[in-house]
Amino acid sequence: MNALMIYYSFEGNTDYVASKFKEYLDIDTERLTVMNEPPKKGLGKFLHGGKSALRKEDPRMNALQADVRAYDTILIAFPVWAGTCPPAIDMCLKTYPFKDKNVYIIATSASGNAKKAMINVTEMMAGNLIVDTLSLTSPLKNKEKTDAQIQEFCQKITGRL
Ligand SMILES: Cc1cc2nc3c(=O)[nH]c(=O)nc-3n(C[C@H](O)[C@H](O)[C@H](O)COP(=O)(O)O)c2cc1C
């Protein structure tokens, strides 16, 4: 499948999800890497991370290796931060804007509520066709359920080809 998944993962959940998509769809994946991430532990994690997401702070990021122009389909996957997407996703969509792609948006969160994040990311990708969205709850804690949800979602994707 001529598809690229661009994703950000701070604590491994979205990385796990990306590995499952790669397994089921044989797509290319690229993890966004940020140089100034929040601390990994303690309250600072949520304070710094949440604030950076709400303020839409520009993170210092390594360049995307993949050429987005080479793909018909783009999958964007990310953890929900303070109800929206993390700055890495904002920054990536600003730096590498694309048009006329089939787009799938995949969010992971602790609460299962990714509605606002989905709306924000959809707005950032105006000019593309948002084909479908998937919201996953704490994938690493619910691997069996997550795998089944991803498998079902991937079957829908391949069914459309
Ligand atoms: C800074 C920060 C803010 C978060 N904000 C939310 C939130 O608003 N709603 C929610 O359901 N989960 C929130 N979470 C939990 C993550 O969305 C969830 O654990 C996600 O699956 C983590 O993905 P990752 O392991 O790929 O980073 C937050 C986590 C962090 C670190």
Side-chain angles (χ1 to χ4, degrees), residues 93 96-101 103 105 118-130:
L93 295 175
Y96 307 98
F98 48 82
K99 287 238 177 296
D100 301 326
K101 308 283 186 194
V103 172
I105 308 173
M118 293 292 191
I119 291 169
N120 290 349
V121 174
T122 298
E123 283 171 357
M124 278 186 260
M125 285 191 290
N128 296 282
L129 176 67
I130 310 299

Side-chain angles (χ1 to χ4, degrees), residues 15-65:
D15 187 49
Y16 174 77
V17 167
S19 73
K20 287 286 150 191
F21 270 86
K22 195 168 176 60
E23 188 183 320
Y24 296 139
L25 289 178
D26 191 24
I27 56 172
D28 294 334
T29 57
E30 186 167 339
R31 182 174 184 164
L32 298 171
T33 50
V34 174
M35 286 169 264
N36 52 337
E37 282 188 319
K40 289 273 179 199
K41 286 190 181 149
L43 204 56
K45 175 171 90 172
F46 295 102
L47 290 178
H48 288 257
K51 192 174 65 156
S52 68
L54 288 174
R55 290 188 181 166
K56 305 223 168 287
E57 283 172 7
D58 287 347
R60 279 189 289 121
M61 282 175 58
N62 293 310
L64 198 64
Q65 298 300 304

Side-chain angles (χ1 to χ4, degrees), residues 92-113:
C92 173
L93 295 175
K94 266 192 253 164
T95 313
Y96 307 98
F98 48 82
K99 287 238 177 296
D100 301 326
K101 308 283 186 194
N102 294 317
V103 172
Y104 294 87
I105 308 173
I106 298 101
T108 73
S109 65
S111 64
N113 184 354

Side-chain angles (χ1 to χ4, degrees), residues 13 16-17 20-21 24 106-113 134-155:
N13 288 272
Y16 174 77
V17 167
K20 287 286 150 191
F21 270 86
Y24 296 139
I106 298 101
T108 73
S109 65
S111 64
N113 184 354
L134 177 66
S135 168
L136 298 163
T137 310
S138 300
L140 289 176
K141 283 191 197 147
N142 307 299
K143 282 192 179 171
E144 215 172 300
K145 186 176 176 198
T146 301
D147 292 3
Q149 285 176 292
I150 296 174
Q151 207 164 2
E152 191 190 337
F153 192 76
C154 290
Q155 277 164 0

